[in-house]
Structures are given as C-alpha cells and as structure tokens.
Amino acid sequence: MAAAALTREGGEDAFRRLFRFYRQRDASDLRGVVDFSAPGGQVFRSQLSISSVSDQDAYRAGLQPVSQWKAYGLSGYPGFIFIANPFLAGCQRHWVKQCLKLYPEKPNVCNLHLHMAPEKTTDLWGQSKEQLRRKGSSKWEPRSLLEKLRWVTLGYHYNWDTKKYSANHHTPFPSDLAFLSEQVAAACGFRGFQAQAGILNYYHFDSSLGIHVDESELDHSRPLLSFSFGQSSIFLLGGLKREEAPTAMFMHSGDIMVMSGFSRLLYHAVPRVLPNPEGTALPSCLHQALPSDLPAGSVIEHSSDEDWQVCAKYLQSSRINMTIRQVLAEGQKFPEESGTNGQGQAPSEDSYHENSKAKRHKPNRV
C-alpha cells in the first residue's frame, strides 16, 4: 500500500508526507486507516474509571452510563483514549446547536469578529438560518455567515499570533460544556479537571487542520478532550517530532478523543473531511431525537424542529470539532506579560486551520 510505503520511508518530516497523501487520495486508498468500529491490530480495549461518574451525572451530560462506553487505546500511544460515540440518543443535537447558535456569539471570539464590523457579526444564527435552510447543492451559491465560521474560542481565548493564553483575555466558559468535559475527564481518570479554554473548529469537505502540537496550556498534566459532530474525518496522531510517521484513524460523529500523559504533546492533524460512511446525508445517530423527559438538572436542552433543520442542513457538508483544555494547574497564575493586549489574530492557512479555497486568497481573510 502507498501509505505503508510512505511510513517506512521515515526521514525528514514523514508526517507531512502522510498528511499530503491522505489529503489528496481518494477513498479507495483508506484501507490503512484505523477504524475503531472494528478494533484489532494495534487497537485494544481501554479501562475507564466507572465509579468516578455516577449514572445520573452521565445522563445530565447527555451521556450513556460509563459502564456502557466503548473505549480503546492504541499500542505505542500511552495516554491516548478513543471513546466511540457515548452520547445518548438525540443529545449530539444539543452540542451542534450550541456550536452554531450560541457559542459563536460575543463575548466569545470567532474569526468573523476579527475581520468584520461589530454590527455585521451580531446574531450570526439569525442572519444565516433562512439562507441555510433554502440552500441547494450548488457550489456557487453565496455562503452564509455560519458557513464562513472557521473557529470560535471560549474561556481563555487563544492568541493566534503569540500562540499563548493570557489572564486579560478571558470570558466565562459555557457551563454546559464544562459539565460535559468534567464527566468525560473523570471517566478517563482525571477527576477535578477544569474546562478553562475551548477551541471550536468548523470544517467543510475542502478543509483540513494543519500539523501542530497543543502546548500553549501552562499545565500539561491535564488531558486534551476532543469531540466531533457531523461528517467524518481522518485524524493523524504522530510522535514528539515531525520526522515520526503518524497513525491515521477515522473520527465519526459523536466520537471523543482524549490525549493525556505521553500523548498529550504529540503532533497531530486532520488532513481530510469525509462523507459519513453510511452513505447518507447525515449519520444515523443525528437522526435520533431527544426523549421528551430529560433528567433533573440536565444540561441538555431540546431543540426546536426549525433549529434542527438549520443545523442538519449545515452538517450535510460540514464537521464540527470541540477541543477543551485546562490551561492552569490548581493555584497557578499566568506569568507577567508586557506589550500585548491579549487579542488574538486569525491563524495563517498553513499554521492551523487550512482550507483549499482560502489558499487562493491572502491569509487571514474570511
């Protein structure tokens, strides 16, 4: 197989060679991608801390009881945990709606806020929903504001220029997302995890996420949590150096990845977004509606049929990923900084979020 041959070559920046391979090849060349729905080979079952999360708290976060989760590890990647869609029926819809309707709004920060007048970025959802609902399949139709979203930052806002967080650029972290993250972290053995920063990435079929390491957080002992919704993708997990060839794996809607310990500071990337393998416009797990009776104290909210129609239309050609981090250890503070106002700039196309169409234009433009 061509991918295996590239892996054996080693040498300078083996990661980049495989990134380009998976970015450009068609679906018939994906036989070497790890599929956790059919574990084997380097995939093994991973043990979770079942007693750390009560069934009630799992239900409140929209999750199945931890005893029912299917969690896996990868040989050679200690600290990496893959959880195959542990969400209760209909609960993914809540997070999709939050990522499209609520989280992009101020005081949170998104790429559109940095390039457009404030009055033009008020109520992105309201400005986009009718256009999205009517949208056909033509590539030439104008994009709605929601379709121009590339990223949103939450809590401590990541500065794309300095690649740092700062104490003076912070807004309240969403309580529902914090609760979800805390339950997942606890189930993976990290009780007391504090969701302090989030980066949401919005992908389309021509998007990718560049090769990088998430090292800007001051505390690396806490895990990095990654949640995916919508269309599928290929995720590449490499080593401590770019010369080490990565392992390719599928991520489907509802899947969660946890990077901790040795795996916390490994190079990783998303070279490609793929149509969901079921061959339908949306994966079947997103067709499930919420039950009418949610548990007391649930952070999950019912979505109106109208709202979900907009979300579903968006997801037919898109994928949303939420990565949640703890920036500071307990009692830790940011070092004193000078000469910065903490305001983030948009990432360049090659440094973080890449889009083949955007490359025909100047970087840092919507």
Side-chain angles (χ1 to χ4, degrees):
M1 288 171 50
L6 283 171
T7 300
R8 287 194 298 270
E9 282 184 20
E12 184 177 358
D13 205 349
F15 201 128
R16 171 60 66 179
R17 286 201 303 276
L18 275 173
F19 181 93
R20 288 176 177 166
F21 173 85
Y22 285 113
R23 177 88 177 117
Q24 298 171 0
R25 299 283 175 163
D26 61 30
S28 63
D29 291 309
L30 304 183
R31 290 169 292 172
V33 182
V34 173
D35 187 346
F36 289 95
S37 65
Q42 67 185 116
V43 177
F44 59 89
R45 287 298 293 264
S46 183
Q47 297 299 312
L48 296 173
S49 181
I50 296 175
S51 61
S52 295
V53 180
S54 68
D55 289 356
Q56 182 66 17
D57 280 344
Y59 289 143
R60 288 177 58 208
L63 299 165
Q64 302 172 26
V66 177
S67 60
Q68 297 179 21
W69 294 8
K70 295 178 180 178
Y72 305 96
L74 276 177
S75 298
Y77 294 97
F80 175 79
I81 303 172
F82 184 100
I83 304 169
N85 185 14
F87 289 93
L88 292 167
C91 289
Q92 288 188 54
R93 292 186 174 191
H94 170 84
W95 303 110
V96 171
K97 184 189 72 173
Q98 298 294 78
C99 287
L100 291 175
K101 188 174 184 178
L102 181 64
Y103 298 157
E105 295 299 316
K106 294 179 179 180
N108 302 328
V109 181
C110 75
N111 61 293
L112 300 179
H113 295 153
L114 302 183
H115 302 293
M116 299 176 65
E119 63 272 14
K120 293 185 177 181
T121 59
T122 301
D123 191 15
L124 300 178
W125 174 269
Q127 294 189 63
S128 303
K129 61 182 182 179
E130 288 304 323
Q131 187 177 350
L132 265 175
R133 191 181 291 113
R134 296 192 307 266
K135 196 171 183 68
S137 58
S138 172
K139 296 180 180 179
W140 309 112
E141 291 184 61
R143 292 184 301 161
S144 65
L145 288 178
L146 283 178
E147 291 171 296
K148 294 179 181 180
L149 267 182
R150 288 198 301 160
W151 53 262
V152 169
T153 54
L154 312 171
Y156 287 112
H157 297 285
Y158 187 69
N159 186 312
W160 302 100
D161 268 354
T162 64
K163 301 188 186 304
K164 294 180 179 180
Y165 302 94
S166 64
N168 63 351
H169 196 204
H170 173 268
T171 54
F173 194 93
S175 59
D176 56 349
L177 185 52
F179 186 76
L180 169 70
S181 303
E182 290 159 8
Q183 309 318 306
V184 172
C188 294
F190 295 93
R191 299 187 73 167
F193 175 84
Q194 299 177 48
Q196 296 175 334
I199 298 179
L200 316 181
N201 276 294
Y202 300 78
Y203 300 84
H204 307 295
F205 282 133
D206 58 356
S207 303
S208 61
L209 180 70
I211 304 166
H212 68 286
V213 176
D214 290 294
E215 59 185 357
S216 300
E217 296 72 32
L218 275 65
D219 179 21
H220 295 151
S221 68
R222 303 274 90 183
L224 176 74
L225 311 180
S226 174
F227 303 83
S228 287
F229 305 105
Q231 301 300 321
S232 300
S233 70
I234 296 175
F235 180 80
L236 298 180
L237 182 62
L240 295 171
K241 299 178 180 179
R242 285 172 61 131
E243 289 79 8
E244 300 178 50
T247 295
M249 60 199 81
F250 289 115
M251 286 194 77
H252 303 304
S253 191
D255 291 344
I256 301 172
M257 286 184 177
V258 179
M259 296 170 67
S260 67
F262 171 80
S263 294
R264 175 63 178 78
L265 295 175
L266 298 182
Y267 279 97
H268 54 281
V270 178
R272 193 147 151 226
V273 176
L274 301 166
N276 99 81
E278 298 171 68
T280 52
L282 291 180
S284 57
C285 58
L286 290 173
H287 289 297
Q288 300 170 321
L290 275 174
S292 56
D293 54 332
L294 294 171
S298 175
V299 300
I300 303 298
E301 300 173 345
H302 284 96
S303 299
S304 68
D305 289 341
E306 178 185 6
D307 280 358
W308 179 245
Q309 287 173 12
V310 177
C311 293
K313 178 68 81 168
Y314 177 89
L315 289 182
Q316 285 180 11
S317 59
S318 305
R319 168 181 177 257
I320 298 172
N321 178 254
M322 312 187 300
T323 57
I324 313 302
R325 309 106 188 282
Q326 178 169 333
V327 177
L328 301 167
E330 187 73 32
Q332 189 177 21
K333 295 183 179 180
F334 287 101
E336 291 293 329
E337 293 186 24
S338 61
T340 176
N341 63 3
Q343 296 297 311
Q345 296 298 315
S348 69
E349 302 303 334
D350 191 50
S351 66
Y352 202 77
H353 201 285
E354 301 180 356
N355 182 292
S356 61
K357 290 182 179 178
K359 290 181 180 178
R360 293 196 288 269
H361 305 280
K362 293 181 180 180
N364 299 341
R365 297 293 293 270
V366 177

